[in-house]
Amino acid sequence: MKKFWALGLAAAMIFSLTACGNTGGNAGNLPVETPAEGGDAGVPAESMPAEAESGNRNGSYEECVLTFSWWGGDSRHEATMAAIDAFEAKYPGITVKETYGSWSGWEDSMAAMFAAGTTPDVNQINWSWITSYSPDGNVFMDLNRVSDILDLTQFDRKYLDMCTVAGKLQAVPVSMTGKIFYWDKTTFDEAGIDTPDTLAELMTAGETFQNELGEDYYPLVLSEYDRMILMVYYLESVYGKNWVEDGALNYTLKEIQAGLEFIRSLEDAHVIPSVATVAEDGAESLERNPKWAEGKYAGIFEWDSSAGKFSDALAEGREFVVGEELADMGDYRGGFSKVSSGFAISEGTAHPKEAAMLVQFLLNEEEGTAIMASERGIPLSKAAFDNCNAQGLLNETVVEANGKILAYVSYELDPKFEDAALKDAGGVYYDVMAGLSSGNYDSEKAAEVLGDGITKVLGEDSRY
């Protein structure tokens, strides 16, 4: 199989301008190379082998090069590339050039391409990218245009509606996700305690880890963004209201300050390491941190669809388990779920039909869905779920986590919550949580900076 790590997203965009076959559009007016006589690059669709059309909901297709970008962990990369190989074998003449990597810095690179109009043909996108980068539908294509190829009837209308902006279905949602606790049970066993089911037990575990295992051991590790989501989870549990309502921040500065003090209390109780401590570990991401692999960081608060990369990163012999929602944080069921990711086709693609065939293969067809399984979460496609479930292909840990999340969480996520100005490294969330952890901000100042940053993104008329 052709496997390569992308050297840069921009370089891969050359392929998105490659014209299809001998009849498709020619993006950017690039010259189309005419094959020598006897070559197969320009074979008319009607002369293609019958097997090339098998499984295609709309008959024949043209030879072309498609570009496809996504992010994730190693297991997602391997599954996606295997699925691409199967797609290329099923549809001779379509070549897929892939660009992929970890999340770090990914959105910045994609945002530059969205602005420049050099986006790959098919893209894994965050749900929030639709409103952030294509609010008028000029970046992502309306997938209703290719519904004769891409079977949208496999998806519940309410999930398709979540991805419909400016009257256009701009992505197909792959799965729903939320954050839940995962534990390295081996470390808790070494500390002589059970994995925590309540906030009270988690707070007690901090002292136990410190006394029984040492200063380097913590029952939980949180990135700056994890801290933000957990803080909102806590506030929703206490106050019983959405973080953002009707486009406006729904919490007062005093309430936000209380949430920040909760996060600081986790550090004070040795439940989580400081932001500086995690930074000093020198790891690109939490799952690549040796302290996670070794069990010194014994818990994470993570998307259910990310379970695989954290489980795979643990040293051999360590037991990875799904935790519980912490119902004792308040009188309400805090937390939220969201569209974990979607597949979108670029508005400027020269070959929308073939791009739709790739998405159809990955999300709905038996062969593709069996390879992808639950690498991007529990499939929302009815055909994919039924196929994977019947074959026992779904990751049991992800199934368990997803079921717990969707049965518990009660609040809605505003798409702007994930705006790059807030959630990216160097964004408002990172500034506030790092400043609070280091002592550069007290909770009152941190609440003010956070509130101001959020209202800047939402609009000044949304001020708390």
Side-chain angles (χ1 to χ4, degrees), residues 239-294:
Y239 295 103
K241 56 184 180 180
N242 283 320
W243 177 244
V244 169
E245 189 75 40
D246 297 327
L249 186 57
N250 203 26
Y251 284 77
T252 67
L253 285 183
K254 285 293 184 184
E255 291 168 341
I256 295 172
Q257 184 178 349
L260 291 166
E261 288 172 352
F262 161 70
I263 294 297
R264 186 56 191 262
S265 74
L266 298 178
E267 274 195 31
D268 294 341
H270 200 80
V271 171
I272 60 175
S274 68
V275 169
T277 297
V278 177
E280 288 166 3
D281 295 337
E284 178 185 354
S285 56
L286 289 181
E287 77 272 13
R288 297 179 185 273
N289 193 313
K291 290 182 180 177
W292 166 255
E294 300 164 1

Side-chain angles (χ1 to χ4, degrees), residues 117-433:
T118 55
T119 318
D121 298 298
V122 179
N123 305 271
Q124 177 184 317
I125 68 167
N126 256 343
W127 178 50
S128 63
W129 291 4
I130 300 174
T131 53
S132 294
Y133 303 113
S134 189
D136 55 1
N138 66 332
V139 171
F140 305 126
M141 187 180 79
D142 183 359
L143 298 181
N144 290 305
R145 288 166 44 194
V146 289
S147 60
D148 56 336
I149 301 166
L150 175 56
D151 186 3
L152 300 175
T153 66
Q154 297 299 327
F155 300 85
D156 192 298
R157 172 50 58 184
K158 67 180 179 181
Y159 298 128
L160 295 178
D161 287 346
M162 291 179 179
C163 296
T164 300
V165 176
K168 299 179 180 181
L169 176 61
Q170 298 195 43
V172 179
V174 178
S175 61
M176 293 294 292
T177 189
K179 288 220 171 189
I180 196 167
F181 297 96
Y182 294 99
W183 308 113
D184 179 344
K185 186 176 181 297
T186 305
T187 303
F188 282 88
D189 289 344
E190 292 167 352
I193 57 175
D194 294 330
T195 57
D197 291 338
T198 66
L199 177 60
E201 291 174 354
L202 177 59
M203 299 298 283
T204 301
E207 182 179 1
T208 302
F209 269 50
Q210 189 175 23
N211 293 337
E212 298 297 326
L213 300 177
E215 290 289 336
D216 289 342
Y217 284 79
Y218 295 86
L220 183 65
V221 61
L222 299 173
S223 71
E224 292 91 332
Y225 187 48
D226 296 335
R227 291 170 183 235
M228 181 65 197
I229 295 179
L230 184 57
M231 186 197 80
V232 173
Y233 178 5
Y234 171 80
L235 289 174
E236 289 171 342
S237 300
V238 172
Y239 295 103
K241 56 184 180 180
N242 283 320
W243 177 244
V244 169
E245 189 75 40
D246 297 327
L249 186 57
N250 203 26
Y251 284 77
T252 67
L253 285 183
K254 285 293 184 184
E255 291 168 341
I256 295 172
Q257 184 178 349
L260 291 166
E261 288 172 352
F262 161 70
I263 294 297
R264 186 56 191 262
S265 74
L266 298 178
E267 274 195 31
D268 294 341
H270 200 80
V271 171
I272 60 175
S274 68
V275 169
T277 297
V278 177
E280 288 166 3
D281 295 337
E284 178 185 354
S285 56
L286 289 181
E287 77 272 13
R288 297 179 185 273
N289 193 313
K291 290 182 180 177
W292 166 255
E294 300 164 1
K296 289 184 176 180
Y297 296 157
I300 51 171
F301 182 59
E302 190 50 72
W303 304 111
D304 57 18
S305 54
S306 297
K309 66 181 181 181
F310 281 94
S311 178
D312 292 346
L314 284 176
E316 186 177 355
R318 307 199 71 82
E319 185 178 357
F320 183 78
V321 299
V322 183
E324 301 293 334
E325 303 288 358
L326 305 183
D328 61 333
M329 287 204 293
D331 294 333
Y332 305 93
R333 292 189 167 196
F336 49 74
S337 61
K338 66 159 191 165
V339 174
S340 64
S341 65
F343 283 138
I345 297 175
S346 294
E347 177 65 32
T349 182
H351 28 272
K353 178 179 179 178
E354 290 72 24
M357 288 168 58
L358 176 58
V359 177
Q360 168 73 7
F361 182 82
L362 295 174
L363 295 188
N364 289 328
E365 292 185 18
E366 183 173 348
E367 185 177 6
T369 58
I371 297 171
M372 295 306 304
S374 53
E375 278 301 329
R376 287 177 172 81
I378 304 304
L380 286 178
S381 163
K382 292 186 283 290
F385 181 86
D386 291 345
N387 178 40
C388 294
N389 193 46
Q391 297 188 54
L393 298 174
L394 298 178
N395 183 303
E396 293 182 2
T397 302
V398 178
V399 171
E400 179 185 355
N402 186 260
K404 287 181 176 180
I405 291 166
L406 297 185
Y408 185 88
V409 300
S410 307
Y411 296 94
E412 298 177 3
L413 174 67
D414 179 77
K416 293 291 187 181
F417 188 89
E418 297 186 315
D419 189 275
L422 299 174
K423 71 165 287 188
D424 276 11
V428 174
Y429 298 155
Y430 281 73
D431 175 35
V432 168
M433 293 302 174

Side-chain angles (χ1 to χ4, degrees), residues 12-19 27 65-67 117-121 348-351:
M13 295 311 100
I14 294 171
F15 297 110
S16 70
L17 300 177
T18 302
V65 175
L66 292 174
T67 50
T118 55
T119 318
D121 298 298
T349 182
H351 28 272

